[in-house]
Amino acid sequence: MAKKQIEKKIVAFCCENSALKAAEALSDPATLDAVELVRLPCTGKAETGLLLACLERGHPGVLVLGCPADNCKFLVGSTRANKRVQSTRRLLKEAGLSEERVRMDFVSSVDGHRLARIVREMRERLNAIEGAKV
Amino acid sequence: MSKTADSIGVVLACGGRFSSKERESIAARLGSALLIEEAFGSPAQVAALAARITKRRFRRVLLAGIAPAGQAELLQTLARQAHLPAAAVGGVDLGPALASRTRAPGALRAIQRGLAALAEIPPVERRSLALEPGVLVVGAGPAGREAAAALRGLGHPVTLVEKTDGSAGPSGGPQAVGLQGAELLTGSMVRRVEGQVGRFAVTVRTPSGDRQVTCGAVVLAAGIPGFHPGIPAASSAAIAGGAADTAAAPFGVAGVVPLEQLEQAVAGLPRRRGVRPVAVILDWRLEETKGSTQAALELALRLQKEGALQVHLLCREVRVAAMELEELYDRARQAGVDIIKFEGRPALRSTGKAVAVDFRDAILGQQVSLECELAGVSSYGVRGDADPELARLFGVSLDALGQFQLNNIHLFPGETNRPGVFAAGACRGQFYLPLIESEARATALAVHQLLAPGVLELELAQPVVDEDKCALCLTCVRSCPHGAMYVDRAKGAAACAPEACRRCGICAAECPAKAITLPAWSDRAVLSQVS
C-alpha cells in the first residue's frame, strides 16, 4: 500500500530571544511554510548532535537562527553556535554530503523579512542539491 | 490517565470550537487535569487562569489551542503570573485537528504529544539565597572612591583595595576624599577569588599579610595604567592612556609631532611676525573619547589665546556630549579656534617650510589643503589596557578594546559578564572625569539594587552534571559566559552555581562527554518539537 510520503520540512532552530520573535511577528505566516520552528533558549544550545539528528530523521536541511553578534542575551551564545555549525558543515563535507544542508544565520527580533529571505534562499539551495525537494 | 496528566494542567483554550460531546470525550480522557477556558487573551483572563493554576498547584501547564503567532509572549506572561518557570508552560496548536475530519481524537493526540513534551521538563524547585552584606571595591581612584562613598551612603559595608600606598598619586590619593567609613587597604592586591554573586570570598594580599574578604558584590574600578583623569590636560599623553600607539602617524615628516608635544614644539618655533597656523588633528588612530576631546580642546584654546597662533582643530566628529564639554567647545570657537570636520584621514606632507594637511572637508565636500607650521596628531589609542590579571581573577571578559565591559546590548552600564561583578571608570572605557564619577554612582546604585533585598530568589533550573560522565576537561568552565561553572572538588566533577547561571545551555552543548543537561531543554525535549 503506497501511503503518500509526507515531505519533511527544513528544521529551523530559533533562539527564543530573536529569530522566534521575528517569526511570530511575520504578518504572513505562510512565508515560513517550508520550515518547522524549534525553540531554543539560545542557539548556543544547538549542538552538533541535534543538527545531525534532524538530517537523520529525513529533514532536508537545518537552519540555526541566532542573534547578531554583540546582541546575544548570553553574550557569546550565537558566536559559539556559529563555530559549531561551521564544524558540522565540515563534518558533512567529509562524509560526502552537501555542507549546504546545515546553515547558521543571524536574525534580530525585528528582522522578519530577513528571516523570510533566509528561508527562501535555504529552500533554493536545497532544491539545487539532488534529492532534496522542499 | 497517567501520572503525567495529574501534575500537568491542560487548558483547552478553544473550548468553544468543540461541541459539548467532543469536549466531554476530551475531558474524560484528561481527567482532573483539564481546566476549560472558552476564550483566552485579555490580561484579566490570563491573570484569572494564573490564579487557578496556582490554586490547583500545577507545576506544568499545557495551553491547547493557542495560535502559534504571539504564543511565546502569552506563555511567558502566564508562566510569570503563575510563578512557574517559563519552560513549564507549553502550548499546542489544535488548528490542524479542528480542520480534520476526526476532530476530538486528533485534538487529543495533539494534546498528548504536548503533554509528552512537557513531561520531559522536570518540576523546578525554588530556593532563597541569603546575600552576604558588603562590597569589595578594587581601585581607589576617582571611580572607586566615588562608588565606595555612594555605597557607604546607601548603608553597605565597603572594603576598598588600592594597589599603591595611597599617599599621593596624580589624582590626590585615596585619602583626599572622605570615604565615609569604608575600610581602605592600601598597598594591597587581589590574589584569589572564589564563590559567586552574593557570596564572593576574595583573598587580598596586604602589606601585613593575606586578608579574607567576604562580600556580596564587587566593583572593579582599577583604571588603566598611565591614565589619571584628575590632572589637567597639560599632559595629554596621560589622557592617551599610557603606551601611546602612534605607529600610523607620519612623525617622520618635519613639523608633525604627537599632540602632547605640540606646546613644546610651538615654544621652539623661531620668532617671526604674523599669525602662524597650527593644526591639531584628532581621530587619527581611534575615535577620540570625551576625555581626550576635552584635553585637545583645552590645548587648542590655550594655544589660540597666545595670540600669535591660528589653531585649526581637525576631527571627524567633535565629541561634546556633556555640558562642560559643550561650553569648552563654545569657548574655543569664540577664542577663534577653527574647527574643521574631515572625512577619512588627512594626508600630511612637508612643503619644505611648512606641513601641508590634505583632507576632504566633510561640510564643503571638497578636497582642501591647509598649510601649517606645525601639526599635532592625537596619539589616542587606548587598547588592552585594563588589568588582564584582574580580569582573569574575577572571570570578567574584555571587550575588543581590552576594557572590562563587553559591547553587548544586554549588559546595562557597569555590568560585566559575571553576575555580581561590576566595573566603573577608565577600566570600562570612560575617560571623562565628570562622567566617571556619575557612572560610579550609578554602578553603586546597581549594586544596591542587587544587595538591598538581602536574598536572591533562585529557580533551580540550572544544568545538571552527570558526575560519572564528567571527565573534568573544563570545557564548560571555559565556555560559560557568566562564570557559573566550577569544579566541585568533593564530587570530582564540574558543577553549576544556580545564582550565576542564566540557563543558556552553552555548557550542555559544548560538553564533549555529553555529561551536562539543561533540564528544561534536554535533547529529547528539543527534538520533541520536530515532527
Side-chain angles (χ1 to χ4, degrees), chain B residues 125-129 456-460 462 498-499:
Chain B
E125 281 178 45
R126 291 168 162 273
R127 184 161 60 98
S128 293
L129 176 85
L456 202 59
E457 295 298 337
L458 299 179
E459 246 180 31
L460 300 184
Q462 78 276 16
E499 57 270 41

Side-chain angles (χ1 to χ4, degrees), chain B residues 192-447:
Chain B
R192 192 182 163 85
V193 182
E194 284 188 330
Q196 294 288 354
V197 53
R199 198 173 295 259
F200 287 107
V202 182
T203 311
V204 180
R205 181 154 300 164
T206 70
S208 54
D210 280 4
R211 265 276 300 275
Q212 282 292 328
V213 180
T214 317
C215 55
V218 176
V219 177
L220 301 178
I224 54 176
F227 172 71
H228 305 293
I231 54 169
S235 162
S236 51
I239 302 292
D245 178 5
T246 53
F251 293 120
V253 176
V256 180
V257 295
L259 197 54
E260 57 271 22
Q261 293 168 20
L262 186 61
E263 263 183 312
Q264 213 180 347
V266 164
L269 281 177
R271 296 202 165 273
R272 71 168 176 82
R273 284 162 168 261
V275 173
R276 294 178 299 180
V278 168
V280 171
I281 304 174
L282 305 185
D283 297 325
W284 188 273
R285 290 285 297 167
L286 292 170
E287 292 182 346
E288 304 293 327
T289 64
K290 295 190 190 81
S292 64
T293 301
Q294 180 193 28
L297 283 170
E298 281 174 353
L299 174 70
L301 186 59
R302 256 194 329 273
L303 293 176
Q304 184 69 29
K305 279 186 170 168
E306 286 184 10
L309 300 171
Q310 171 57 53
V311 179
H312 303 284
L313 189 140
L314 289 91
C315 58
R316 218 170 281 126
E317 299 284 350
V318 202
R319 282 170 186 78
V320 289
M323 190 65 91
E324 302 85 343
L325 282 180
E326 191 77 50
E327 285 167 9
L328 179 61
Y329 172 83
D330 272 352
R331 275 191 283 132
R333 288 295 293 260
Q334 279 159 19
V337 175
D338 174 30
I339 297 176
I340 301 169
K341 281 169 80 168
F342 59 78
E343 287 171 357
R345 180 182 283 175
L348 304 175
R349 63 189 161 85
S350 172
T351 60
K353 278 189 168 176
V355 189
V357 186
D358 302 320
F359 60 95
R360 191 176 165 78
D361 189 297
I363 291 166
L364 298 177
Q366 286 175 2
Q367 197 66 26
V368 176
S369 188
L370 194 66
E371 283 211 355
C372 299
E373 296 204 5
L374 284 171
V377 181
S378 163
S379 47
Y380 171 71
V382 179
R383 287 190 87 93
D385 278 340
D387 186 351
E389 175 62 8
L390 207 56
R392 190 189 63 77
L393 281 167
F394 283 96
V396 171
S397 306
L398 299 172
D399 69 0
L401 295 174
Q403 290 150 3
F404 276 156
Q405 189 175 27
L406 285 176
N407 177 21
N408 185 296
I409 196 166
H410 296 282
L411 292 176
F412 287 123
E415 286 179 356
T416 68
N417 59 306
R418 192 90 195 272
V421 180
F422 298 80
C427 64
R428 69 167 288 266
Q430 181 56 262
F431 304 109
Y432 181 57
L433 187 59
L435 287 182
I436 287 177
E437 288 168 348
S438 64
E439 282 189 6
R441 287 193 295 274
T443 303
L445 278 177
V447 175

Side-chain angles (χ1 to χ4, degrees), chain B residues 422-491:
Chain B
F422 298 80
C427 64
R428 69 167 288 266
Q430 181 56 262
F431 304 109
Y432 181 57
L433 187 59
L435 287 182
I436 287 177
E437 288 168 348
S438 64
E439 282 189 6
R441 287 193 295 274
T443 303
L445 278 177
V447 175
H448 178 66
Q449 193 181 25
L450 170 73
L451 296 183
V455 289
L456 202 59
E457 295 298 337
L458 299 179
E459 246 180 31
L460 300 184
Q462 78 276 16
V464 181
V465 182
D466 183 334
E467 290 151 29
D468 296 333
K469 286 187 186 166
C470 177
L472 277 177
C473 68
L474 306 184
T475 303
C476 53
V477 178
R478 280 194 304 272
S479 63
C480 176
H482 304 104
M485 300 302 294
Y486 64 99
V487 175
D488 186 331
R489 285 167 210 280
K491 289 181 179 166

Side-chain angles (χ1 to χ4, degrees), chain A residues 36 39 44 47 71-72 84, chain B residues 408 410 510 514 529 531:
Chain A
E36 214 167 314
R39 178 181 182 157
E47 52 210 273
N71 225 325
C72 175
R84 230 173 283 135
Chain B
N408 185 296
H410 296 282
E510 295 277 341
K514 287 198 77 64
Q529 297 179 59
S531 62

Side-chain angles (χ1 to χ4, degrees), chain A residues 8 13 24 36 38-42 44-45 47 50 57 59 70-77 80 84, chain B residues 72 76 407-410 417 479 481-482 502-506 509-510 514 521 523 526-527 529-531:
Chain A
K8 295 236 177 177
F13 287 97
E24 282 167 359
E36 214 167 314
V38 174
R39 178 181 182 157
L40 286 180
C42 172
K45 176 71 188 72
E47 52 210 273
L50 285 177
R57 289 178 175 203
H59 293 272
D70 292 342
N71 225 325
C72 175
K73 186 176 171 187
F74 306 109
L75 313 174
V76 295
R80 287 212 165 251
R84 230 173 283 135
Chain B
Q76 280 168 14
N407 177 21
N408 185 296
I409 196 166
H410 296 282
N417 59 306
S479 63
H482 304 104
R502 293 289 178 266
R503 334 272 185 257
C504 59
I506 293 177
E510 295 277 341
K514 287 198 77 64
W521 302 93
D523 284 4
V526 172
L527 286 174
Q529 297 179 59
V530 183
S531 62

